[in-house]
Amino acid sequence: MSLLRDLEGVGADRFRGGYSRHVFTDPELQLRAWFTEQAQRRGLDVEQDRNGNLWAWWGTPGPDAVVTGSHLDSVPGGGAFDGPLGVVSALAAVDELRATGFRPRRPLAVVVFAEEEGGRFGVACLGSRLLTGAIAPERALKLTDPDGVTFGEAAARAGLEPERIGPDPDAVSRIGAFVELHVEQGKALEPLGRPVAIGSTIDPHGRWRLTFVGRGDHAGTAAMADRRDPMLPAARTVLAARSAAKAGTRATVGRLIPVPGGTNVVASRVDVWLDARSASEPGTREAVDEVIAAAQQAAADEGCEVEVREESFSGEVAFDPGLRDRFRGVLGDVPVLPTGAGHDAGVLAAHVPTGMLYVRNPTGVSHAPEEFATDEDCAAGVRALAAVLEELAG
Amino acid sequence: MSLLRDLEGVGADRFRGGYSRHVFTDPELQLRAWFTEQAQRRGLDVEQDRNGNLWAWWGTPGPDAVVTGSHLDSVPGGGAFDGPLGVVSALAAVDELRATGFRPRRPLAVVVFAEEEGGRFGVACLGSRLLTGAIAPERALKLTDPDGVTFGEAAARAGLEPERIGPDPDAVSRIGAFVELHVEQGKALEPLGRPVAIGSTIDPHGRWRLTFVGRGDHAGTAAMADRRDPMLPAARTVLAARSAAKAGTRATVGRLIPVPGGTNVVASRVDVWLDARSASEPGTREAVDEVIAAAQQAAADEGCEVEVREESFSGEVAFDPGLRDRFRGVLGDVPVLPTGAGHDAGVLAAHVPTGMLYVRNPTGVSHAPEEFATDEDCAAGVRALAAVLEELAG
């Protein structure tokens, strides 16, 4: 897909492989500049809202708009498709619609949400959460990245006004419907031999940060018996997450940071992030409670303290059934799939009719360089998105 | 201690607390510039050797020199004393000797060794190991920091010639005796009520890097049963290190890096560093073998691969008994202490008569911001070092 090729190399991560494009870092700012230029080249009017989300308007911004888009940021060492595919497919769908002479009767916008992955400040879908009021601006402004830079500081450096960050009811009220196209995460379409699916639900999911505090010391001279080493309860928490992930629940520790992190140093603190998801909210809560109880016991056994914070939680999302029926009306009998992955569409769904389209990922892998979609399937995704936008805005 | 106060704030780590002054980074280069200026102000001739160690000469550089010094780099988030105390005490001892009208009969040099902590490139005492040929330059040049920068690249940027890095027999042959003053690591002097000790031995110690490789994926969509998550064997290795640390052995995992390290990402790789020490070499090896066997089993259980590399190993060091007797001759009946901490003096001891002095640390903590020595004890350390240098060079 030629638009996606434009982005190759931006934010390539030579240490992790794949891409690291975190919100308001150089690579992500490059992608934003690229998007703005592409949109302007198409005669779309680009605006950045008060929360750092970009909107490119076809027609006068206004109520009852049909909005499509996704995000350009990535997880650390992520794949090329998660996020950018939805943005470039939206631009390509605009091109297809124009080539047919289509003129939207409703305003149409392509949106790029900020910090969807939470890869820098820890809270996923931060841009859409701020927009819709799902997170308090006071809390968002204080979120920090691994270097201790706050979201407020980073936003200010990127040209936003920190005092204006927060709920934007005017912007939300303009959205008549939202459609997000995304690469498939998981491998349901491959065995079905189908390139495109419609989204049904998003599993309840959340993130918890467990901070273990012990006593830092020299690894060669601190007697074992005197230690209060937070790495021990952190390790037991990793194992507890695996034990807690029963039947249909997923519980993962993918991020763990010992502080100070020296080879010859007993850590003074370890931060552990738990990601948990299940088909039901009680199932998710139960798994998380089990991990937290194990973490507290492990901390107590080592003479450490542990603090647990819920960084985010999203209940089950069911996408709009009326919209889904209209998608099937134009796309035919395509598969309808649930997902365990969160999206800005999941945040928007609480406020406006929302739907999703997935493009087949033959590896099933996501958030890793192996994430993939063929050119043919990407083209099928663009056609499906164009058809859906025509149906909604025509 | 006024010279030490000059260094306050340089490399302060606002995330970890304490100081992060890694070799050839801005803070460490600032400290080197400070040292050079201080030495020149005293009329000492400063040279950087081919491995990045700094030498400040009182008198003509030549054979049979009495050399003292330590290092200016730190562990991540380290204390203010580990390293710098030995360097500033050496300069202060030169001042004391000069104030008494002392003129050394042997050349006297103050040395600053590069990358003593291995905080950036993973191998402790890198500067003294290269100097003495204890590590092959081919291996040292390829060591990488967390950003993937090689030691060769970093050294070149700092003005060294990578092709000249390696054993420097001429520089070693000039050293007639080496004395390193260091803050105490551990808490033996406090209960004895004594400000200064003489070093006897360094425990055998080493570092091993265990790299677990699995398969990265999306934390929300990868089924638990399909996972090959390297965090699991990494966590079991942390626990195995604790179990293996029996009677007098210390085994520590203070550094653990999941890659890519995203909250919503199953890691594809985890690097774990094991630091192990014991009063005997077989005791150390036995503990390490036990941890490695556990790591291999845990990796196999999760369908992961594990690669183990010994990054460094140092056998027991016994400091020169003749030198120790001369120290006691001028210092009187001061305590003589073994240590579990490695030092450049341990590397030098295989080549030249070497001794150490320790200054009381009332907290016992090291490699952490709590590391401490009172002004009075620092002054006692300077007096002891001056007396020893006078004895050796007079």
Side-chain angles (χ1 to χ4, degrees), chain A residues 14-16 75-78 82 116-118 122 124 145-150 153 157 185-186 203 207-209 215-224 227-229 231-236 238-239 241-242 245-246 249-269 271 273-275 277 302 311 339-342 364-368 370, chain B residues 14-16 75-78 82 116-118 122 124 145-150 153 157 185-186 203 207-209 215-224 227-229 231-236 238-239 241-242 245-246 249-269 271 273-275 277 302 311 339-342 364-368 370:
Chain A
R14 76 164 172 159
F15 172 59
R16 299 181 177 86
V75 295
D82 181 352
E116 193 272 346
E117 298 290 5
D145 75 4
D147 295 324
V149 178
T150 66
E153 288 163 356
R157 276 180 222 161
Q185 298 173 297
D203 285 350
R207 297 177 175 195
W208 290 261
R209 179 176 180 160
R215 185 178 53 214
D217 210 328
H218 190 298
T221 58
M224 299 308 295
R227 294 189 181 191
R228 297 191 284 117
D229 181 350
M231 278 297 279
L232 276 292
R236 285 175 58 186
V238 170
L239 303 181
R242 173 59 64 90
K246 297 172 191 89
T249 300
R250 282 131 284 146
T252 309
V253 175
R255 188 173 174 205
L256 184 158
I257 303 180
V259 178
T263 302
N264 49 356
V265 185
V266 177
S268 56
R269 192 180 93 210
D271 286 311
W273 283 263
L274 172 68
D275 179 299
R277 325 201 183 202
E302 183 71 12
E311 290 197 332
T339 182
V365 171
S366 188
H367 286 184
E370 293 76 17
Chain B
R14 77 164 169 157
F15 172 59
R16 299 180 177 86
V75 295
D82 181 352
E116 192 270 347
E117 298 289 4
D145 74 4
D147 294 324
V149 178
T150 67
E153 289 163 355
R157 274 179 224 163
Q185 299 172 299
D203 285 349
R207 296 175 178 199
W208 290 260
R209 179 177 180 160
R215 185 178 54 213
D217 209 328
H218 189 299
T221 59
M224 300 307 296
R227 294 190 181 190
R228 297 192 283 117
D229 181 350
M231 279 296 279
L232 277 291
R236 285 174 59 185
V238 170
L239 303 181
R242 172 59 62 90
K246 299 171 190 85
T249 300
R250 283 132 283 148
T252 309
V253 175
R255 188 174 174 205
L256 183 156
I257 303 180
V259 178
T263 302
N264 49 355
V265 185
V266 178
S268 56
R269 193 179 94 210
D271 286 310
W273 283 262
L274 171 70
D275 178 298
R277 328 202 181 202
E302 183 71 13
E311 290 197 332
T339 182
V365 171
S366 188
H367 285 183
E370 293 75 18

Side-chain angles (χ1 to χ4, degrees), chain A residues 134-342:
Chain A
I135 184 171
E138 300 72 36
R139 183 176 161 226
L141 289 167
K142 280 189 231 152
L143 294 169
T144 52
D145 75 4
D147 295 324
V149 178
T150 66
F151 177 69
E153 288 163 356
R157 276 180 222 161
L160 294 179
E161 298 170 60
E163 62 280 10
R164 296 191 66 236
I165 283 173
D168 194 346
D170 291 345
V172 176
S173 70
R174 296 184 306 200
I175 311 173
F178 178 62
V179 185
E180 181 168 359
L181 177 147
H182 204 280
V183 70
E184 183 190 8
Q185 298 173 297
K187 204 173 173 175
L189 289 178
E190 179 74 6
L192 298 176
R194 303 290 292 269
V196 171
I198 297 170
S200 57
T201 56
I202 298 179
D203 285 350
H205 60 281
R207 297 177 175 195
W208 290 261
R209 179 176 180 160
L210 296 91
T211 300
F212 298 92
V213 177
R215 185 178 53 214
D217 210 328
H218 190 298
T221 58
M224 299 308 295
D226 295 342
R227 294 189 181 191
R228 297 191 284 117
D229 181 350
M231 278 297 279
L232 276 292
R236 285 175 58 186
T237 301
V238 170
L239 303 181
R242 173 59 64 90
S243 310
K246 297 172 191 89
T249 300
R250 282 131 284 146
T252 309
V253 175
R255 188 173 174 205
L256 184 158
I257 303 180
V259 178
T263 302
N264 49 356
V265 185
V266 177
S268 56
R269 192 180 93 210
V270 180
D271 286 311
V272 172
W273 283 263
L274 172 68
D275 179 299
R277 325 201 183 202
S278 187
S280 77
E281 185 167 330
T284 312
R285 294 281 181 193
E286 197 177 304
V288 172
D289 289 347
E290 185 178 326
V291 177
I292 291 172
Q296 287 168 334
Q297 182 61 54
D301 290 349
E302 183 71 12
C304 293
E305 305 292 322
V306 58
E307 186 195 345
V308 181
R309 271 166 294 177
E310 182 174 293
E311 290 197 332
S312 63
F313 185 80
S314 308
E316 188 188 49
V317 170
F319 292 118
D320 189 75
L323 220 45
R324 191 158 72 230
D325 291 345
R326 291 179 73 183
F327 289 7
R328 297 195 93 178
V330 292
L331 302 178
D333 187 29
V334 302
V336 176
L337 297 179
T339 182

Side-chain angles (χ1 to χ4, degrees), chain B:
Chain B
M1 187 163 182
S2 64
L3 277 172
L4 209 50
R5 295 227 165 79
D6 281 3
L7 313 185
E8 277 174 14
V10 180
D13 190 323
R14 77 164 169 157
F15 172 59
R16 299 180 177 86
Y19 294 99
S20 290
R21 298 160 165 173
H22 302 310
V23 68
F24 301 146
T25 62
D26 284 348
E28 201 249 7
L29 294 171
Q30 275 184 57
L31 296 181
R32 287 166 173 264
W34 172 89
F35 172 77
T36 301
E37 197 225 315
Q38 287 292 325
Q40 287 170 342
R41 197 184 283 184
R42 286 166 175 77
L44 309 181
D45 295 322
V46 180
E47 55 176 46
Q48 179 167 242
D49 69 20
R50 57 171 73 173
N51 296 302
N53 308 306
L54 295 174
W55 301 75
W57 288 92
W58 182 5
T60 311
D64 206 28
V66 175
V67 180
T68 183
S70 189
H71 60 97
L72 293 170
D73 70 301
S74 76
V75 295
F81 298 85
D82 181 352
L85 184 64
V87 174
V88 302
S89 295
L91 293 173
V94 167
D95 292 344
E96 289 216 357
L97 290 172
R98 282 200 169 143
T100 67
F102 175 77
R103 300 278 302 171
R105 290 193 301 128
R106 296 161 66 175
L108 198 153
V110 179
V111 67
V112 175
F113 285 110
E115 180 71 331
E116 192 270 347
E117 298 289 4
R120 182 169 177 194
F121 293 102
V123 175
C125 302
L126 190 59
S128 57
R129 283 184 208 265
L130 281 165
L131 174 79
T132 58
I135 184 172
E138 300 73 33
R139 184 177 158 226
L141 289 167
K142 279 189 232 151
L143 294 170
T144 52
D145 74 4
D147 294 324
V149 178
T150 67
F151 177 69
E153 289 163 355
R157 274 179 224 163
L160 294 179
E161 298 170 59
E163 62 281 8
R164 295 190 67 236
I165 284 173
D168 194 346
D170 290 346
V172 176
S173 70
R174 296 184 307 200
I175 311 172
F178 178 63
V179 186
E180 181 167 359
L181 177 145
H182 204 279
V183 69
E184 182 190 12
Q185 299 172 299
K187 204 172 172 176
L189 289 178
E190 180 71 9
L192 298 175
R194 304 291 291 268
V196 171
I198 298 170
S200 57
T201 55
I202 298 180
D203 285 349
H205 61 281
R207 296 175 178 199
W208 290 260
R209 179 177 180 160
L210 296 90
T211 300
F212 298 92
V213 177
R215 185 178 54 213
D217 209 328
H218 189 299
T221 59
M224 300 307 296
D226 295 342
R227 294 190 181 190
R228 297 192 283 117
D229 181 350
M231 279 296 279
L232 277 291
R236 285 174 59 185
T237 301
V238 170
L239 303 181
R242 172 59 62 90
S243 310
K246 299 171 190 85
T249 300
R250 283 132 283 148
T252 309
V253 175
R255 188 174 174 205
L256 183 156
I257 303 180
V259 178
T263 302
N264 49 355
V265 185
V266 178
S268 56
R269 193 179 94 210
V270 179
D271 286 310
V272 172
W273 283 262
L274 171 70
D275 178 298
R277 328 202 181 202
S278 188
S280 78
E281 185 167 331
T284 312
R285 295 279 181 196
E286 198 177 303
V288 172
D289 290 347
E290 185 178 325
V291 177
I292 290 172
Q296 287 168 333
Q297 182 61 54
D301 290 349
E302 183 71 13
C304 293
E305 306 291 322
V306 58
E307 186 195 348
V308 180
R309 271 166 295 177
E310 183 173 294
E311 290 197 332
S312 63
F313 185 81
S314 308
E316 188 188 54
V317 170
F319 292 118
D320 189 76
L323 219 45
R324 192 159 68 229
D325 290 346
R326 291 179 74 184
F327 289 6
R328 298 196 92 177
V330 293
L331 301 179
D333 186 30
V334 301
V336 177
L337 297 179
T339 182
H343 296 288
D344 293 307
V347 176
L348 270 289
H351 302 268
V352 297
T354 296
M356 285 194 76
L357 297 174
Y358 300 119
V359 173
R360 169 166 56 190
N361 176 355
T363 70
V365 171
S366 188
H367 285 183
E370 293 75 18
E371 182 181 276
F372 188 62
T374 65
D375 279 355
E376 294 68 31
D377 287 358
C378 290
V382 170
R383 284 193 303 274
L385 181 61
V388 159
L389 295 176
E390 184 174 13
E391 161 70 13
L392 298 177

